[in-house]
Amino acid sequence: MPRGASERGISVGIHDLEVATSHFVVSLSELAEHNGTDPAKYLIGLGQREMSFPAPDEDAVTIGAEAAAELLARTGVEGITTLLFATESGIDQSKAAGLWVHRLLGLPASMRVAEVKQACYGGTAALQAAAGMVARAPQERVLVIASDVARYALDSPGEPTQGAGAVAMLVSAAPALVELDPVSGRFTAEVDDFWRPNGMLEALVDGELSVAAYLDGVESSWLDLAARGGPSVERLAAILFHQPFGKMAQKGLRRLSSVVGRDLDGAGNTAGEAINSRMGNSYAASVYAALAGLLEYGLGEEPLSTGDRIGWFSYGSGSVSEFLTGTVGPAATTRSGSGGIAAKLDARAALGVPEYRALHTARGETPEVTDRLLPRTTRGRFRLAEVRGGARRYEGV
Ligand code: HMG
């Protein structure tokens, strides 16, 4: 029997994962004060305290490369045949963002690299594609990077739900962190809840519709999972949600509670919400950042145990939803209590609201193809150094 195989078939899932975020952070209390908004609206109404904000020489490539570099320092690159880069903050209509990461990390030439897009669902689409590749060739490993910069217009309702973050995941047979269950629940419905037409840097959004579409996705993907014989909620030690803002995860849990006819309050991932409330929306990475938080901080006071089954809801506007479940592996306990994600969030440089607004405006006014040299701002190890003839040159330290 090949490595990782069992009577249930090949065991495939997330062997290891790592989170990264941007150089800057903006306080939402300060943003509220500037906007003349009651800070409680952001802190309690949305469940958000801070938002990560990229330096001018950062983007989804540099943040994604950071997460992957840290991950690969632990796992090595042996057996990695594919890099799937999931993002909706694409910086090129043609060339995959993962190609720059491939160069920055000195990855082997004998790999395939591609970009995956479906709004915030892209990370899950890449994870599922990776799982399929590994199931076909269990000796191979796939690097999935979900990385995004969530950007809305200044003074728009979406502004306090901006953020930036990446999660890199190594997908393999016999995974040490989370083994994916073979069955998942899916739901797709074309809807104009959130979109970013070509040439636009900022997403357009119908906020109310987006919340309703997300909750429809929770209900319909759960019912699909149940119809396919997925586990009952009683068997899930924790349930995670895509988190455009913390309160949305709570709304998702409430909708699921009403669908299954049971109060699920204790199953919510408060650790994931605490991380998200500081990082903001990281789109494709968001639900996997919640997973990283769950693995690091456990559920409430309790760390996760090997064999615990967890569920997670992935949503991408437009819209595609998927409810996945999986079993926690032995490496989960070694991550518990490390405080690694909080340390990264603490390390960000505070950006005052006037400076944040100036950077936001300057980014919006600079066409992507404008020739420019970017002075070093980020303390991160990877940065965008130059744009020349529309081509981007990144550098690492
Ligand atoms: P809004 O109109 O500014 O806010 O937009 P609101 O008036 O609806 O208030 C929000 C909450 O704050 C409400 O609570 C208020 O009651 C409360 P709720 O009724 O929802 O429980 N509130 C207060 N609470 C305490 N003290 C106060 C106070 N005032 C009000 N003083 C909206 C909110 C989410 C629509 C906006 O931020 C937005 O457009 N965000 C972007 C879109 C979004 O995140 N949608 C979520 C679902 S879609 C999704 O997740 C996909 C996405 O990630 C993209 C992708 O897939 O790529 C976005």
Side-chain angles (χ1 to χ4, degrees):
M1 218 183 293
R3 181 179 162 269
S6 71
E7 299 75 38
R8 297 197 317 132
I10 300 282
S11 126
V12 178
I14 303 168
H15 185 66
D16 200 350
L17 89 178
E18 197 51 71
V19 179
T21 189
S22 62
H23 173 71
F24 285 125
V25 57
V26 178
S27 153
L28 291 192
S29 309
E30 288 177 27
L31 184 65
E33 196 179 330
H34 174 92
N35 292 348
T37 303
D38 180 354
K41 175 171 179 183
Y42 296 164
L43 302 181
I44 298 162
L46 295 177
Q48 293 300 112
R49 288 167 55 196
E50 299 170 350
M51 58 189 190
S52 287
F53 189 78
D57 54 346
E58 287 183 313
D59 60 17
V61 169
T62 63
I63 300 170
E66 177 65 43
E70 213 175 315
L71 172 75
L72 297 181
R74 285 199 298 270
T75 63
V77 299
E78 195 196 336
I80 299 181
T81 58
T82 306
L83 190 177
L84 297 177
F85 195 106
T87 189
E88 57 175 301
S89 321
I91 34 98
D92 194 288
Q93 289 285 2
S94 176
K95 185 171 171 179
L99 284 165
W100 286 286
V101 176
H102 182 270
R103 173 192 279 278
L104 285 168
L105 302 188
L107 295 174
S110 57
M111 285 179 63
R112 62 174 81 83
V113 177
E115 191 165 305
V116 177
K117 179 182 73 176
Q118 182 6 65
C120 302
Y121 173 73
T124 298
L127 174 64
Q128 290 289 29
M133 289 176 187
V134 173
R136 194 180 68 166
Q139 72 285 3
E140 297 186 359
R141 304 196 291 175
V142 177
L143 175 61
V144 169
I145 303 174
S147 182
D148 268 311
V149 174
R151 182 183 159 99
Y152 297 93
L154 292 176
D155 304 318
S156 69
E159 185 183 16
T161 70
Q162 295 176 111
V167 175
M169 299 182 265
L170 190 64
V171 178
S172 76
L177 266 188
V178 180
E179 179 184 335
L180 296 174
D181 285 334
V183 173
S184 67
R186 298 175 291 268
F187 176 70
T188 287
E190 195 272 325
V191 56
D192 284 327
D193 64 329
F194 168 106
W195 65 107
R196 184 163 72 84
N198 287 345
M200 286 199 67
L201 204 54
E202 276 136 23
L204 301 170
V205 61
D206 179 335
E208 208 176 316
L209 180 60
S210 76
V211 170
Y214 176 115
L215 294 176
D216 281 352
V218 170
E219 177 163 346
S220 302
S221 61
W222 176 265
L223 292 176
D224 190 54
L225 177 67
R228 290 173 194 281
S232 62
V233 275
E234 288 77 12
R235 291 178 59 206
L236 300 179
I239 305 172
L240 315 180
F241 288 86
H242 165 58
Q243 291 181 67
F245 50 94
K247 185 83 162 289
M248 196 66 235
Q250 295 165 19
K251 287 178 195 278
L253 195 63
R254 271 206 305 276
R255 173 62 75 93
L256 187 59
S257 297
S258 77
V259 172
V260 299
R262 182 166 182 264
D263 183 1
L264 298 172
D265 255 7
N269 174 20
T270 45
E273 285 173 34
I275 287 160
N276 186 78
S277 76
R278 299 190 60 194
M279 193 155 82
N281 197 350
S282 54
Y283 288 162
S286 167
V287 71
Y288 298 98
L291 174 61
L294 177 69
L295 293 168
E296 198 164 302
Y297 298 101
L299 194 61
E301 301 292 293
E302 294 292 316
L304 285 176
S305 307
T306 305
D308 279 348
R309 180 170 264 111
I310 59 172
W312 63 102
F313 170 69
S314 178
Y315 177 76
S317 283
S319 70
V320 179
S321 301
E322 187 161 353
F323 227 115
L324 300 93
T325 59
T327 306
V328 171
T333 50
T334 64
R335 298 180 75 90
S336 167
S338 70
I341 306 174
K344 287 175 189 174
L345 293 167
D346 290 346
R348 293 169 300 174
L351 189 64
V353 172
E355 294 77 18
Y356 143 72
R357 288 179 65 91
L359 285 182
H360 193 290
T361 304
R363 178 79 187 85
E365 286 174 350
T366 312
E368 209 61 87
V369 291
T370 303
D371 281 359
R372 57 198 188 276
L373 279 172
L374 291 110
R376 171 172 283 281
T377 307
T378 179
R379 283 192 297 256
R381 71 182 111 176
F382 304 108
R383 61 182 294 270
L384 175 63
E386 185 178 13
V387 178
R388 182 87 35 218
R392 299 166 87 86
R393 185 173 63 77
Y394 291 87
E395 62 184 21
V397 290

